[in-house]
């Protein structure tokens, strides 16, 4: 159960990062509220998962999911540059996350 919560919390990290950008410095109400709710749920899930997953593994996986998700959102929705180098770097993050899970 802790691993599922950790994965969902990582996805929520992507949600709050995207909402933070969309809030335009907290000047838009709906994205600001989405940011706050997603942030609280993401941190709460991370805290729950860390009850049984080591902090180094849990935090790295949480950040990795959020970073990759946010980068992919930027590339697919916001028009961020899509290059072979960027895709390669994201694959390195994913392989590190998978490695941490496998070696846990």
């Amino acid at each position: 159960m802790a691993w599922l919560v950790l994965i969902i919390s990582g996805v929520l990290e992507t949600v709050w990062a995207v909402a933070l950008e969309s809030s335009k410095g907290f000047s838009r109400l709906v994205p600001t509220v989405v940011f706050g709710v997603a942030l609280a749920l993401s941190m709460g899930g991370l805290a729950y998962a860390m009850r049984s997953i080591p902090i180094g593994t849990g935090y790295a996986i949480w950040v990795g999911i959020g970073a990759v998700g946010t980068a992919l959102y930027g590339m697919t929705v916001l028009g961020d540059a899509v290059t072979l180098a960027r895709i390669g770097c994201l694959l390195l993050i994913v392989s590190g996350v998978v490695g941490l899970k496998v070696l846990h």
Side-chain angles (χ1 to χ4, degrees):
M1 184 64 156
W3 287 102
L4 178 61
V5 171
L6 182 63
I7 291 167
I8 292 168
S9 296
V11 172
L12 285 168
E13 184 185 2
T14 297
V15 171
W16 68 252
V18 170
L20 179 61
E21 190 275 332
S22 296
S23 77
K24 306 295 184 207
F26 301 122
S27 65
R28 297 177 58 216
L29 180 61
V30 173
T32 299
V33 171
V34 170
F35 165 78
V37 171
L39 178 67
L41 291 172
S42 180
M43 292 290 177
L46 177 62
Y48 173 83
M50 285 182 159
R51 295 157 115 194
S52 59
I53 298 171
I55 186 171
T57 301
Y59 185 73
I61 290 173
W62 179 77
V63 168
I65 293 169
V68 170
T70 303
L72 290 175
Y73 181 87
M75 286 188 272
T76 59
V77 176
L78 301 178
D80 291 353
V82 180
T83 65
L84 221 46
R86 290 186 76 178
I87 298 297
C89 290
L90 291 175
L91 289 172
L92 287 171
I93 294 171
V94 169
S95 66
V97 166
V98 170
L100 286 170
K101 169 62 174 122
V102 168
L103 297 172
H104 171 69

